[in-house]
């Protein structure tokens, strides 16, 4: 089902397979409210780029699953590019169920902190449920360091994806896409990250499904493009959007101490975020694909 009768919300199956065939990546942008969602879909529509709008559990509890669902479904009626609403790093089956029942068609179940067999068992359950509702599933094997939402992973607990295990994992779970850990981390980097491209190439050789790169904030365009050449079809962007939005908003409010109209003070924040969205779509080479 969906909230709006003529919603055109899609899952990520076709958009990621097209990206895989044509060697680009679909950008997944984390949003938090109406304004940030508008910036992303407006820029993507102008650039004719497919787009994934992502929210973590923290975002959904902040803004409400039904509100976010209605905002993104409204966007799908206004623009004729493929738009997916995606559950980023969800861990609870009930949360996934709540959104899928509202009409969300793209899910990430993150069981990467669990032992291999338990990870497979939980992911398989989500895949069976989601596929029965027309939704696609991304899962993660290996573990990224850094902070995502309220989840903090120490560098010492991060773990690179093992290519052979990845093959078995994808076959046994039936996931539609796989998030890999190849040296990226969530949040901002303290030192220049070094990506393990040999490992990524090995994973690409053994695994058919589109691969997903998390923790791309702060990774050079060159390295992201190289990852795309090696099978990455979805690139997640979160931290790099929050920073320009907040900085521009702060600057405006500091410079205009009397400002009290959100229609005015949100404008420079949206404009600053928009530039980054455009830059990231170009980085992913996803413009003019539809
Ligand atoms: Co149902
Ligand atoms: Co992530």
């Amino acid at each position: 089902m969906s909230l709006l009768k003529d919603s055109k919300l899609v899952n990520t199956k076709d958009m990621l397979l097209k990206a895989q065939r044509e060697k680009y990546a679909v950008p997944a942008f984390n949003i938090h409210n109406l304004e940030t969602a508008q910036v992303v879909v407006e820029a993507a529509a102008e650039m004719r780029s497919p787009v994934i709008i992502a929210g973590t559990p923290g975002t959904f509890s902040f803004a409400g699953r039904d509100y976010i669902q209605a905002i993104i479904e409204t966007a799908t009626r206004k623009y004729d590019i493929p738009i997916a609403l995606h559950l980023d790093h969800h861990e609870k089956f009930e949360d996934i169920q709540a959104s899928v029942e509202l009409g969300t068609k793209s899910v990430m179940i993150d069981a990467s902190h669990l032992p291999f067999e338990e990870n497979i068992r939980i992911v398989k359950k989500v895949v069976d449920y989601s596929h029965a509702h027309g939704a696609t599933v991304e899962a993660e094997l290996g573990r990224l360091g850094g902070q995502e939402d309220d989840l903090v992973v120490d560098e010492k607990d991060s773990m690179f994806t093992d290519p052979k295990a990845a093959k078995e994992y994808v076959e046994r779970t039936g996931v539609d896409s796989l998030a890999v850990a190849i040296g990226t981390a969530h949040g901002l980097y303290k030192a220049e990250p070094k990506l393990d491209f040999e490992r990524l190439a090995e994973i690409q050789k053994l695994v058919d499904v589109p691969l997903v790169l998390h923790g791309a904030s702060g990774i050079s365009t060159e390295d992201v493009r190289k990852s795309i050449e090696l099978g990455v079809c979805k690139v997640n962007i979160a931290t790099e959007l929050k920073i320009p939005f907040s900085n521009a908003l702060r600057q405006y409010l500091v410079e205009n101490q009397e400002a009290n109209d959100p229609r005015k003070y949100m404008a420079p924040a949206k404009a600053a975020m928009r530039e980054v969205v455009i830059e990231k779509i170009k980085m992913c080479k996803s413009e003019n694909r539809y």
Side-chain angles (χ1 to χ4, degrees):
M1 65 163 272
S2 58
L3 283 179
L4 304 182
K5 224 177 21 211
D6 48 354
S7 161
K8 291 185 291 173
L9 209 55
V10 293
N11 66 34
T12 50
K13 186 101 192 168
D14 290 345
M15 67 164 83
L16 292 186
L17 289 178
K18 177 171 153 67
Q20 192 180 45
R21 284 194 303 274
E22 297 178 15
K23 293 234 180 223
Y24 61 92
V26 180
F29 296 106
N30 280 71
I31 58 94
H32 301 91
N33 54 15
L34 172 66
E35 286 79 7
T36 49
Q38 284 173 326
V39 171
V40 171
V41 289
E42 283 166 17
E46 262 178 57
M47 295 181 78
R48 310 294 313 156
S49 170
V51 72
I52 297 169
I53 311 288
T56 58
T59 296
F60 286 107
S61 54
F62 162 72
R65 286 182 188 277
D66 46 0
Y67 276 111
I68 296 284
Q69 184 77 28
I71 288 169
I72 308 304
E73 285 191 14
T74 302
T76 69
R77 300 198 296 186
K78 293 168 93 78
Y79 306 104
D80 60 349
I81 48 161
I83 299 174
L85 173 60
H86 176 75
L87 308 182
D88 194 24
H89 289 284
H90 275 49
E91 297 187 17
K92 293 195 183 112
F93 184 79
E94 311 83 73
D95 288 348
I96 290 170
Q97 198 171 26
S99 272
V100 169
E101 293 297 333
L102 287 174
T104 295
K105 294 194 156 30
S106 183
V107 168
M108 180 198 189
I109 167 71
D110 186 351
S112 62
H113 51 290
L114 297 172
F116 191 64
E117 288 300 327
E118 211 171 326
N119 183 338
I120 287 182
R121 190 178 58 75
I122 288 169
V123 171
K124 179 85 174 65
K125 179 181 170 192
V126 171
V127 167
D128 289 344
Y129 167 77
S130 301
H131 284 179
H133 288 80
T136 42
V137 180
E138 169 187 335
E140 178 175 319
L141 189 64
R143 199 142 204 240
L144 267 68
Q147 176 160 11
E148 174 85 60
D149 226 0
D150 301 327
L151 195 78
V152 184
V153 179
D154 270 2
E155 212 162 310
K156 65 173 170 41
D157 296 325
S158 66
M159 222 170 60
F160 283 17
T161 307
D162 175 71
K164 285 204 187 74
K167 177 181 160 65
E168 182 185 344
Y169 184 76
V170 168
E171 286 171 356
R172 288 178 58 194
T173 55
V175 285
D176 302 284
S177 58
L178 180 71
V180 292
I182 55 163
T184 57
H186 287 121
L188 289 177
Y189 293 95
K190 288 178 204 102
E192 174 93 17
K194 209 169 150 9
L195 303 193
D196 189 344
F197 290 114
E198 274 170 42
R199 181 180 298 271
L200 182 57
E202 194 59 32
I203 296 169
Q204 187 196 23
K205 233 187 277 170
L206 297 175
V207 170
D208 293 334
V209 297
L211 304 177
V212 179
L213 189 66
H214 284 244
S217 290
I219 304 289
S220 69
T221 296
E222 195 192 343
D223 279 0
V224 171
R225 293 264 176 91
K226 199 166 169 187
S227 307
I228 293 170
E229 284 299 313
L230 293 171
V232 164
C233 307
K234 171 175 175 274
V235 173
N236 289 10
I237 297 130
T239 307
E240 273 180 305
L241 294 186
K242 289 199 280 196
I243 293 168
F245 189 95
S246 317
N247 284 349
L249 181 59
R250 181 161 34 242
Q251 191 187 340
Y252 185 89
L253 291 173
V254 166
E255 287 172 2
N256 300 273
Q257 294 283 328
E258 308 295 307
N260 59 14
D261 187 342
R263 294 166 298 185
K264 293 223 170 68
Y265 62 67
M266 286 291 191
K270 289 175 78 175
M273 181 178 156
R274 178 191 157 84
E275 275 181 47
V276 179
V277 171
I278 288 170
E279 185 189 300
K280 296 301 172 188
I281 288 173
K282 286 182 180 157
M283 176 184 78
C284 288
K285 300 195 292 180
S286 63
E287 77 270 31
N288 293 321
R289 299 291 178 172
Y290 285 87

